[in-house]
Amino acid sequence: MGLFGPRRGDFETRYHLTRRSKLRRLREMVGIVRQFDIVHGLTPVKMRLMLEALGPTFVKVGQILSMRSEILPQAFCDELAKLRADADPMPYRTVIDTLEHEYGRPVDEVFDRLDPTPLGSASLAQVHRARLVTGEDVAVKVQRPGVRETMAQDVSIMRSLARAAAKLVPSAQVVDLQGVVQELWETFEAETDFTVEARNLAEFKRFSERYAYMDCPTPYPELCTQHVVVMDYVDGISVSRPDQLVEAGYDLKEIGTKLVDNYATQVLDDGFFHADPHPGNIIVRGGQIVLIDLGMTGRLNAKTRAVLKEMIFAVAKQDSPALADALLRFAGAESDPADYPALLADLDSIVEEFGTVDLAELDIAAFLGSLTALAQRHGIEVPSSVTTVGRALVTLEGLLDEFIPDVNMIEIISQHIAAAKTPAERLREEAESLAVEGHRALHGAFATLAELKVASRMLTRGQLKVNMELVGAEEPLRRLSDMVNRITMALIVVGLFVGSSIVYFAGMKPIVFGIPIVGFMGYAVAFGIGCWILFDIIWKGRKSRGKR
């Protein structure tokens, strides 16, 4: 079948992928990699430039990896964070052709005016300011033609390579490469389907209506397609311009405090949050903080939100068992780490690092990164949404440090958690939790009684068997077995020497070298066994010292 077999599935058919096109793209990728000569060393800068040269798929991969310090060294993560989001602008004619193809009619029937100069041009899309024929001032985001097909081709190649790698090392595969590639494609597919962004805008618009100081652009669903999204044009001041905000009469600390508190609401209370809160996506307009570009969002279910809160407070209380219990809740009811004492020991180190500071000074982003890396080492699967939260918090924290340094993000989030519920609400939730746990405990007790009935019946019939495993006793038992074996062999040697000596003094015939042949054979066997025992003692002693 080869690396790119002749069979074409739905994925290849949908994006018109052929074996020849994939081989051509693979040769192109190999050529780019060779240009950067990574065999003789891969520096952070060289890796960033190489990913940029490989195209939009790998730019996105690099941006994802920049937030995964458990995978790459921090120096690489810092450099990959610089991956440029801008790109050479598309020709204006291409933009017009794309819009007419999407709408099936001339552009002037939809837009009264379309600015030829783009507001921004990224690797995936380009944004233009326009005015609808109905008079609304809008921003039009147009996807670059063929970018999704290019990404699909790259992902198809990655899948083929991942399958080949899985066949070569099926049992030693530490990372589920095929699962990673599938997750990447799902991310790419969501980002390149602009109807998803339109739905995100509508959902976040409903969320922000509860807060007078928050807003986002209003989408125009009837004009949004898979490759085009039309939304209100936002004319304001970016948070990356703090001097202009001050001149306009804004209080930077108030902006930062409201931004972080609302973000805590998005993540921990609502479970739907902006996953890329960098300065270019946050604009202040008319006394409101406006979040734009909701192509990247994250979602947390109620269980994950509750576990995140538990972990934060467990670290603050320096409670390793509570932290372990919260972490194991990610793995589900069937979680059973192979080495629970080692897990607790590793959690102790995290508690020592992060739990010795006040909750207001806790670096949640770094904490989540360390915890994710620990979970991977112990085979505990942490939801990818937690990684998304960590990445977003790092971005938000960097924004505050650079432009609004007087705002303590962690202190605001911790205060939000503490004040999220009234004492009565917390008491009611605790009572509900106690009722649920009591219900489970009662059923567990009845199940235990049923098992005891079966066990007692087997005991009275003499059918009960007990399997017992002494954890950590394998090495002492092995040494004890070696000692018993040596003693046994030593007794055999002594017996052979004594028996041969009796035969010698009895003068039995025939005689070899003045010794009866039976006695001679006994001496020889005893000597050989004695030498083997001595060699075994010396060799294993050296081996044991070498391990130490």
Side-chain angles (χ1 to χ4, degrees), residues 39 42 109 151 192 218 273 448 468 491:
V39 176
L42 181 63
E109 293 185 11
M151 286 185 162
T192 53
T218 301
F273 60 95
T448 302
M468 183 174 62
L491 290 174

Side-chain angles (χ1 to χ4, degrees), residues 98-132:
T98 302
L99 290 172
E100 291 182 344
H101 178 268
E102 290 297 310
Y103 295 138
R105 51 181 166 158
V107 171
D108 56 12
E109 293 185 11
V110 180
F111 303 102
D112 180 54
R113 179 181 61 82
L114 183 66
D115 192 346
T117 304
L119 295 172
S121 182
S123 58
L124 294 182
Q126 189 163 291
V127 181
H128 289 259
R129 186 174 181 177
R131 185 172 61 244
L132 299 177

Side-chain angles (χ1 to χ4, degrees), residues 251-282:
D251 184 343
L252 293 181
K253 188 169 184 179
E254 181 183 4
I255 292 173
T257 301
K258 288 182 176 179
L259 174 63
V260 174
D261 186 70
N262 188 269
Y263 203 79
T265 301
Q266 295 174 38
V267 173
L268 298 174
D269 299 338
D270 200 67
F272 173 69
F273 60 95
H274 195 303
D276 191 22
H278 67 75
N281 287 340
I282 304 174

Side-chain angles (χ1 to χ4, degrees), residues 267-269 300-316 319 321-333 335 347 362 364 367-368 371-372 375 380-383 385-386 389 417 421 429:
V267 173
L268 298 174
D269 299 338
L300 297 175
N301 57 34
K303 172 186 173 182
T304 303
R305 298 198 301 271
V307 172
L308 281 175
K309 294 177 184 179
E310 288 179 16
M311 290 194 300
I312 292 171
F313 282 114
V315 170
D319 189 347
L323 184 58
D325 291 342
L327 183 61
L328 290 174
R329 284 183 61 187
F330 279 140
S335 61
L347 287 172
L362 176 62
I364 297 181
F367 162 64
L368 289 176
L371 204 61
T372 302
I380 299 173
E381 183 178 356
V382 176
S385 55
V386 176
V389 171
I417 296 173
K421 296 180 177 64
E429 285 192 358

